[in-house]
Amino acid sequence: MNDYAFGNYLYEKRKQAGLTQRQAAAMLGVSDKAVSKWENGRAKPTTDVLRKLAVLYRKQLLLYREALRRSMEQEVGECLICSLALNDVISVE
């Protein structure tokens, strides 16, 4: 994987995790400029930081998926309530 492809991969993972460069940098203990350099292929993170990235992005992605799942469950619940209310209105008429 060349530097650009690797940087693009890091960018995509960060976006999937729902983080800004500044947020990711703060969680990793680096500057947002460092994150930018990695994503633009101008530098590569150290092995230690790569391990932290893997944990951070996976954790954030799991949290994001859980929030999305809860949101979808809430929307389904609201749709069911609306549907039941509509059925009550229709059956009264």
Side-chain angles (χ1 to χ4, degrees):
M1 187 179 297
N2 67 32
D3 291 347
Y4 178 76
F6 181 69
N8 195 45
Y9 174 80
L10 290 177
Y11 168 81
E12 290 299 326
K13 290 299 178 186
R14 177 179 57 78
K15 287 305 220 179
Q16 287 174 359
L19 297 172
T20 65
Q21 286 182 344
R22 182 172 284 161
Q23 291 169 325
M27 293 175 174
L28 294 167
V30 299
S31 70
D32 56 338
K33 290 179 182 174
V35 174
S36 177
K37 287 179 182 179
W38 303 335
E39 292 180 359
N40 289 314
R42 294 188 318 238
K44 288 189 178 177
T46 64
T47 304
D48 185 48
V49 173
L50 279 173
R51 287 186 186 110
K52 290 179 184 178
L53 278 166
V55 171
L56 172 64
Y57 290 172
R58 177 161 171 73
K59 179 180 175 184
Q60 288 301 119
L61 188 56
L62 291 173
L63 290 172
Y64 175 77
R65 285 181 179 166
E66 178 64 19
L68 185 60
R69 184 188 62 77
R70 287 183 184 166
S71 175
M72 290 175 69
E73 286 177 355
Q74 182 179 356
E75 287 179 22
V76 167
E78 290 170 359
C79 287
L80 288 173
I81 291 169
C82 291
S83 178
L84 291 172
L86 184 60
N87 280 340
D88 289 344
V89 170
I90 292 172
S91 62
V92 169
E93 294 177 357

